[in-house]
Coordinates of all heavy atoms in Angstrom, one line a residue:
G1010 N 17.0 11.5 -16.5 CA 16.3 10.7 -17.4 C 16.1 9.3 -17.0 O 16.1 8.9 -15.8
D1011 N 16.0 8.4 -18.0 CA 15.7 7.0 -17.8 C 16.8 6.3 -17.1 O 16.6 5.3 -16.3 CB 15.3 6.3 -19.1 CG 14.0 6.9 -19.7 OD1 13.2 7.4 -19.0 OD2 13.8 6.7 -20.9
N1012 N 18.0 6.7 -17.4 CA 19.2 6.0 -16.8 C 19.1 6.1 -15.2 O 19.3 5.1 -14.5 CB 20.5 6.6 -17.2 CG 20.8 6.4 -18.7 OD1 20.1 5.6 -19.4 ND2 21.8 7.0 -19.2
A1013 N 18.8 7.3 -14.8 CA 18.7 7.5 -13.3 C 17.6 6.8 -12.7 O 17.7 6.2 -11.6 CB 18.6 9.0 -13.0
K1014 N 16.4 6.7 -13.4 CA 15.3 6.0 -12.9 C 15.6 4.5 -12.8 O 15.2 3.8 -11.8 CB 14.0 6.3 -13.7 CG 12.8 5.7 -13.0 CD 11.5 6.0 -13.8 CE 11.2 7.5 -13.7 NZ 9.8 7.8 -14.3
A1015 N 16.2 4.0 -13.9 CA 16.5 2.5 -13.9 C 17.4 2.2 -12.7 O 17.3 1.2 -12.0 CB 17.2 2.2 -15.2
A1016 N 18.4 3.1 -12.4 CA 19.3 2.9 -11.3 C 18.6 2.9 -10.0 O 18.8 2.0 -9.1 CB 20.4 4.0 -11.3
L1017 N 17.6 3.8 -9.8 CA 16.9 3.9 -8.6 C 16.0 2.7 -8.4 O 15.9 2.1 -7.3 CB 16.0 5.2 -8.6 CG 16.7 6.5 -8.2 CD1 15.7 7.6 -8.6 CD2 17.0 6.5 -6.8
I1018 N 15.4 2.2 -9.4 CA 14.5 1.0 -9.3 C 15.3 -0.2 -8.9 O 15.0 -1.0 -8.0 CB 13.7 0.8 -10.6 CG1 12.7 1.9 -10.8 CG2 13.0 -0.6 -10.6 CD1 12.0 1.9 -12.1
T1019 N 16.4 -0.4 -9.6 CA 17.2 -1.7 -9.4 C 17.9 -1.6 -8.0 O 17.9 -2.6 -7.3 CB 18.2 -1.9 -10.5 OG1 19.0 -0.7 -10.8 CG2 17.5 -2.3 -11.8
R1020 N 18.5 -0.5 -7.7 CA 19.2 -0.4 -6.5 C 18.2 -0.3 -5.3 O 18.5 -0.7 -4.2 CB 20.2 0.8 -6.5 CG 21.4 0.6 -7.5 CD 22.0 -0.7 -7.4 NE 22.6 -1.1 -6.1 CZ 23.0 -2.3 -5.7 NH1 22.9 -3.3 -6.6 NH2 23.4 -2.5 -4.5
G1021 N 17.1 0.4 -5.6 CA 16.0 0.4 -4.6 C 15.5 -1.0 -4.3 O 15.3 -1.3 -3.1
L1022 N 15.3 -1.8 -5.3 CA 14.9 -3.2 -5.0 C 15.9 -3.9 -4.2 O 15.5 -4.7 -3.3 CB 14.7 -3.9 -6.4 CG 14.2 -5.3 -6.3 CD1 12.8 -5.3 -5.6 CD2 14.1 -6.0 -7.6
A1023 N 17.2 -3.6 -4.4 CA 18.2 -4.3 -3.6 C 18.1 -4.0 -2.1 O 18.2 -4.8 -1.3 CB 19.6 -3.9 -4.1
E1024 N 17.9 -2.7 -1.8 CA 17.8 -2.4 -0.4 C 16.4 -2.8 0.2 O 16.4 -3.1 1.4 CB 18.1 -0.9 -0.1 CG 17.2 0.2 -0.7 CD 17.8 1.6 -0.4 OE1 18.9 1.9 -0.9 OE2 17.1 2.3 0.3
I1025 N 15.4 -2.8 -0.6 CA 14.1 -3.4 -0.1 C 14.3 -4.8 0.3 O 13.9 -5.3 1.4 CB 13.0 -3.3 -1.1 CG1 12.6 -1.8 -1.3 CG2 11.8 -4.1 -0.8 CD1 11.7 -1.6 -2.5
A1026 N 15.0 -5.6 -0.6 CA 15.3 -7.0 -0.3 C 16.2 -7.2 1.0 O 16.0 -8.1 1.8 CB 15.9 -7.7 -1.5
R1027 N 17.2 -6.3 1.1 CA 18.0 -6.4 2.3 C 17.2 -6.2 3.6 O 17.4 -7.0 4.5 CB 19.1 -5.3 2.2 CG 20.3 -5.6 1.4 CD 21.5 -4.7 1.8 NE 21.3 -3.3 1.5 CZ 21.5 -2.7 0.3 NH1 21.9 -3.4 -0.7 NH2 21.3 -1.4 0.1
L1028 N 16.4 -5.2 3.6 CA 15.6 -5.0 4.9 C 14.6 -6.2 5.0 O 14.4 -6.7 6.1 CB 14.9 -3.7 4.8 CG 14.2 -3.3 6.1 CD1 15.1 -3.2 7.3 CD2 13.4 -2.0 6.0
G1029 N 13.9 -6.5 3.9 CA 12.9 -7.6 4.0 C 13.5 -8.9 4.5 O 12.9 -9.6 5.4
C1030 N 14.7 -9.3 4.0 CA 15.3 -10.5 4.4 C 15.8 -10.5 5.8 O 15.8 -11.5 6.5 CB 16.4 -10.9 3.4 SG 15.8 -11.4 1.8
A1031 N 16.2 -9.3 6.3 CA 16.6 -9.1 7.7 C 15.4 -9.4 8.6 O 15.6 -9.8 9.7 CB 17.2 -7.8 7.9
L1032 N 14.2 -9.1 8.1 CA 13.0 -9.3 8.9 C 12.4 -10.7 8.7 O 11.5 -11.1 9.4 CB 11.9 -8.3 8.5 CG 12.2 -6.9 8.8 CD1 11.2 -5.9 8.1 CD2 12.2 -6.6 10.3
G1033 N 13.0 -11.5 7.8 CA 12.6 -12.9 7.7 C 11.9 -13.2 6.4 O 11.3 -14.3 6.2
A1034 N 11.9 -12.3 5.4 CA 11.2 -12.5 4.2 C 12.0 -13.5 3.3 O 13.2 -13.7 3.4 CB 11.0 -11.2 3.4
N1035 N 11.2 -14.1 2.3 CA 11.8 -14.9 1.3 C 12.4 -14.0 0.2 O 11.6 -13.2 -0.4 CB 10.8 -15.9 0.7 CG 11.3 -16.8 -0.3 OD1 12.3 -16.5 -1.0 ND2 10.7 -17.9 -0.5

Side-chain angles (χ1 to χ4, degrees):
D1011 294 338
N1012 294 352
K1014 186 179 288 188
L1017 281 168
I1018 291 173
T1019 51
R1020 296 313 302 167
L1022 183 63
E1024 63 183 64
I1025 289 171
R1027 275 199 296 273
L1028 185 61
C1030 290
L1032 293 169
N1035 182 337

